[in-house]
Amino acid sequence: MTAPADPPADPPEGSAPSRSTRQPSGASRAQARERTMARILALGRAQLVERGPAELSVREIARGLGMVSSAIYRYVDSRDALLTLLIADAFTELADRVDAALDQAALDQGSLDQAAPAPAGPGPASPDPRTRFLALAGTMTAWALAHPERWTLLYGTPVRGYAAPAESTTAPGTRVMARLLEIAADAADAADAADARPGGAATGAASAAPPQPLPAEAVRLLEDAAAELGVDVPPEVALRAVAAWSALVGIISAHVFGQLGPDAAAIGEELIGLQAQIVADLICPR
């Protein structure tokens, strides 16, 4: 008995189909494009490590895919477009990691709550804001130290002649900032609730006014930024969140860029963790 022949392989996307080959369905074409885009990102990340963002080459991507150079431009039409893809990809991966860490913190808190008396309010208690901030900071730190080239692409020296398009990078680039702003808002609410209880004492940074009145322009800017991120928070709290965000990115960058020297680099994650505790006091005082 003759063994059945293997089915014909799918033709490369964009190649002319033979008379005996059926046209791929729309779903198949979409899947093929998705696979190609994933390979483009993987090759782009490898180039980023090897040569840096200024030297990215779309033609080299085409060679890695086994494509003629003209075919790659259906997917990414310039070095700047490749940079945009890599920036959005890095922001998305970092934000996904932070979301997963905060979800895990909530699960861990839920496990602890099961062993404790049930809370009076509805549902399990979420992790306290300080725990969430430190989970966010630790996740950012681990990702940055594992992917220094990608962190540099996001928070290092801008690539000369390149401007990231807001329509492609703002949404993924502000996801972690929005989570930090949520944490600051929850910390302020908790502080206000504690102060309102009988015998409650002012808790300090989370409910304190800024050292001087905010200029009207700063108030508008902070209110607009909070609204854009979808978080209802007073401008004074938003200001502290911005300070905490800037400090956290600066601390991590100092280690990634080797600005503190080799001795600090050797204990980078531990040292950043200690500094993160200090930064947490800006929005989640102990």
Side-chain angles (χ1 to χ4, degrees):
M1 179 180 294
T2 303
D6 291 333
D10 290 337
E13 185 191 3
S15 63
S18 67
R19 293 179 182 274
S20 61
T21 304
R22 289 187 300 174
Q23 288 275 7
S25 67
S28 298
R29 286 194 296 271
Q31 290 168 353
R33 182 175 182 83
E34 186 176 341
R35 288 194 297 269
T36 300
M37 292 302 298
R39 293 177 64 198
I40 288 171
L41 282 169
L43 291 168
R45 288 192 291 264
Q47 279 194 28
L48 196 62
V49 173
E50 294 167 1
R51 60 181 70 177
E55 302 299 325
L56 291 173
S57 168
V58 176
R59 289 180 178 271
E60 186 67 28
I61 298 284
R63 282 193 286 271
L65 292 172
M67 286 183 176
V68 295
S69 58
S70 58
I72 190 67
Y73 293 111
R74 290 179 300 165
Y75 301 93
V76 53
D77 60 10
S78 65
R79 185 214 64 171
D80 284 4
L82 179 58
L83 265 173
T84 299
L85 284 175
L86 291 169
I87 289 170
D89 174 64
F91 273 135
T92 298
E93 183 177 309
L94 175 57
D96 286 347
R97 297 282 181 88
V98 168
D99 285 347
L102 295 178
D103 288 346
Q104 185 60 52
L107 288 174
D108 293 344
Q109 181 66 47
S111 299
L112 292 174
D113 289 342
Q114 289 177 4
S126 62
D128 68 89
R130 190 178 184 90
T131 296
R132 288 155 56 200
F133 175 82
L134 294 175
L136 179 149
T139 302
M140 288 181 66
T141 299
W143 188 87
L145 296 179
H147 306 286
E149 296 83 9
R150 298 172 77 191
W151 178 270
T152 302
L153 181 64
L154 300 183
Y155 299 113
T157 303
V159 179
R160 185 183 297 273
Y162 170 78
E167 64 274 12
S168 301
T169 58
T170 297
T174 55
R175 281 176 55 192
V176 179
M177 295 173 64
R179 300 308 300 270
L180 190 149
L181 190 58
E182 291 170 2
I183 293 168
D186 289 347
D189 288 345
D192 290 343
D195 293 346
R197 295 190 196 108
T203 52
S207 58
Q212 60 188 43
L214 295 178
E217 296 82 357
V219 170
R220 284 195 295 270
L221 178 65
L222 292 164
E223 289 177 341
D224 289 347
E228 184 178 348
L229 295 177
V231 183
D232 183 13
V233 62
E236 294 82 7
V237 176
L239 178 63
R240 285 191 294 275
V242 170
W245 172 261
S246 301
L248 181 59
V249 170
I251 287 167
I252 296 172
S253 294
H255 286 268
V256 171
F257 305 153
Q259 294 169 340
L260 301 181
D263 291 340
I267 56 169
E269 198 158 359
E270 180 181 358
L271 190 55
I272 296 172
L274 295 173
Q275 293 170 289
Q277 293 276 1
I278 298 171
V279 175
D281 291 338
L282 288 169
I283 56 173
C284 314
R286 293 175 243 218

